[in-house]
Amino acid sequence: MSANPFKPSPGSSPPELIGRQRHLDDVRDAIADGPGAPGRTTLFTGPRGVGKTVMLNEVEAVFDRAGWLHLSETATPGLAGRILRGAARLLSAEEPPAKGRITGVRLPGGAGIELQRPAPEPADLRETVEHLSDLLGRRDSGLLLTVDEIHAGQVPELRELAVLSQHLVRDDREFALCMAGLPYAISSLLNDDVLTFLRRADRHVLGALDLQDVEDAFVETFADNGRTIDVDACRRAARATEGYPFLVQLIGHQIWRSTDADDIGAAAVDRAVAQSRTRLGELLHEPALRFLSDVDRQFLRAMAEDSGASRVGDVAERLGRDAQYVNTYRRRLIAAGVVEPAGRGRLEFAIPYLGDTLRGLDG
């Protein structure tokens, strides 16, 4: 049997990118439109598992095909230093080292040439990137920088990156910056006085996929790997994903593992969905809940008492709190990408089956 084609690992690119071409079209347009195009600075945001890192991978592929170079980073301590070292490596590959200067000749018995190379100047992020940009511009190329998992904890280094980006954009250089982060992280950064340039970035909020697109992707992926899936079973699998990209990969992966048959039926899909829901709690629900306050979790447990969308008024009554108090936590949880509006005065979970996990924890 061939290798499992589905990739439910964080950041792994799926066998087929579903429903995101519009976002990539904006990126392609930004390359063609030249310096100053809005898409040259892009933000991807959305809840955990919605495919933000995958989009960064796809953006890099788009720029690679256009002949650009790229640096991939994550917003962890030492970000600016790693960008500097990465740019320096690219620069050394583009430009041969400076030639030395002959300072003397030794005669026989100690024959040889004394060669003195110029001492390297202290590294500076802006100068290094600008020098690299100059060299790339001469061959109609440019530099893309992608930064994943941006968050408020790295504001000082992100400010340094912001200043660099602003100078490069102002000088009409062939440079692009693409970043990704959870909604609350993006919101915090947009309120920073130095990072105001991000407010003008192209912002893409990644949401649920169309279920017909998910069905088509399941059929195509299985067919490309020598297997077929029953129409009704495929529809059940697609509905179980709720259009959530990570769950598409997770359920597909479990379906592939659940049977050796070339023709996949409903029994295999049902087993895979049950297994996937358990794994989803471990992989996404628990990390999403880990960094929430006790009151945040109380709010979510109050929502979990409903089988569908929750009325904010009902949540307030269950918590024994007034509307102002509840709205504070409502806004916090929306910003965190854990819940989302579901019509006037209603909320629903942004991550599929989170309510089931919460009910299990309470049980």
Side-chain angles (χ1 to χ4, degrees):
M1 185 172 65
S2 60
N4 197 319
F6 294 94
K7 309 295 181 185
S9 298
S12 295
S13 291
E16 179 182 351
L17 188 68
I18 310 170
R20 304 298 193 210
Q21 288 305 318
R22 175 179 63 83
H23 306 296
L24 293 180
D25 288 343
D26 289 345
V27 170
R28 292 188 187 93
D29 289 344
I31 298 175
D33 291 344
R40 293 283 181 106
T41 305
T42 296
L43 293 172
F44 290 110
T45 188
R48 296 177 188 275
V50 81
K52 298 182 293 297
T53 302
V54 168
M55 289 305 298
L56 293 185
N57 296 343
E58 295 296 326
V59 167
E60 289 173 1
V62 168
F63 276 86
D64 287 348
R65 287 192 289 272
W68 284 44
L69 301 183
H70 75 263
L71 291 172
S72 304
E73 274 301 336
T74 302
T76 54
L79 172 65
R82 293 195 303 275
I83 294 173
L84 170 59
R85 291 190 292 274
R89 286 194 298 272
L90 294 178
L91 181 59
S92 65
E94 293 294 317
E95 182 179 57
K99 295 180 180 180
R101 178 171 59 89
I102 297 176
T103 57
V105 178
R106 293 194 297 273
L107 297 175
I113 296 175
E114 295 179 3
L115 187 66
Q116 182 182 44
R117 295 189 182 279
E121 296 182 1
D124 174 87
L125 177 59
R126 180 180 167 187
E127 290 180 359
T128 301
V129 174
E130 286 181 344
H131 191 177
L132 175 61
S133 175
D134 288 339
L135 292 176
L136 295 176
R138 292 171 196 160
R139 60 178 180 86
D140 296 324
S141 180
L143 176 66
L144 165 70
L145 176 61
T146 64
V147 184
D148 201 3
E149 298 181 11
I150 64 170
H151 54 89
Q154 294 305 122
V155 163
E157 289 190 281
L158 289 172
R159 286 174 178 162
E160 187 173 354
L161 178 57
V163 172
L164 170 67
S165 299
Q166 286 176 303
H167 280 292
L168 295 171
V169 171
R170 189 172 64 189
D171 293 343
D172 285 338
R173 295 178 181 273
E174 295 291 351
F175 172 80
L177 173 66
C178 186
M179 301 193 289
L182 292 168
Y184 74 88
I186 299 293
S187 297
S188 298
L189 293 174
L190 294 180
N191 291 327
D192 185 88
D193 291 339
V194 178
L195 297 173
T196 54
F197 88 108
L198 291 179
R199 298 172 193 169
R200 301 184 294 276
D202 263 11
R203 201 183 321 176
H204 298 269
V205 180
L206 303 178
L209 304 172
D210 181 82
L211 293 186
Q212 185 60 58
D213 289 341
V214 175
E215 283 189 48
D216 294 342
F218 274 143
V219 169
E220 184 173 339
T221 302
F222 284 118
D224 287 346
N225 290 274
R227 303 175 80 174
T228 60
I229 183 169
D230 176 78
V231 173
D232 290 336
C234 184
R235 186 169 296 117
R236 290 165 73 164
R239 283 202 303 265
T241 71
E242 297 189 10
Y244 199 67
F246 180 76
L247 202 46
V248 172
Q249 297 304 309
L250 185 58
I251 288 177
H253 188 268
Q254 294 293 349
I255 292 172
W256 186 273
R257 293 183 58 190
S258 68
T259 179
D260 293 331
D262 289 336
D263 299 316
I264 300 166
V269 167
D270 290 343
R271 287 195 301 271
V273 170
Q275 293 163 352
S276 297
R277 289 175 67 167
T278 299
R279 291 288 291 151
L280 189 67
E282 299 168 358
L283 296 172
L284 285 186
H285 296 161
E286 291 176 12
L289 296 171
R290 188 177 303 142
F291 299 104
L292 299 178
S293 71
D294 290 341
V295 178
D296 288 330
R297 287 192 286 269
Q298 289 172 14
F299 189 108
L300 295 176
R301 286 189 174 95
M303 282 183 59
E305 294 184 26
D306 299 310
S307 58
S310 299
R311 291 180 62 251
V312 176
D314 291 342
V315 174
E317 184 176 341
R318 291 165 190 164
L319 294 174
R321 297 289 187 168
D322 61 29
Q324 182 177 354
Y325 179 93
V326 168
N327 279 329
T328 297
Y329 287 92
R330 168 187 163 276
R331 288 191 295 269
R332 281 165 52 99
L333 290 167
I334 290 174
V338 180
V339 304
E340 58 190 11
R344 185 174 178 82
R346 291 178 176 271
L347 290 174
E348 62 186 3
F349 293 108
I351 305 175
Y353 307 116
L354 179 56
D356 293 342
T357 294
L358 290 163
R359 285 187 286 272
L361 293 174
D362 288 341

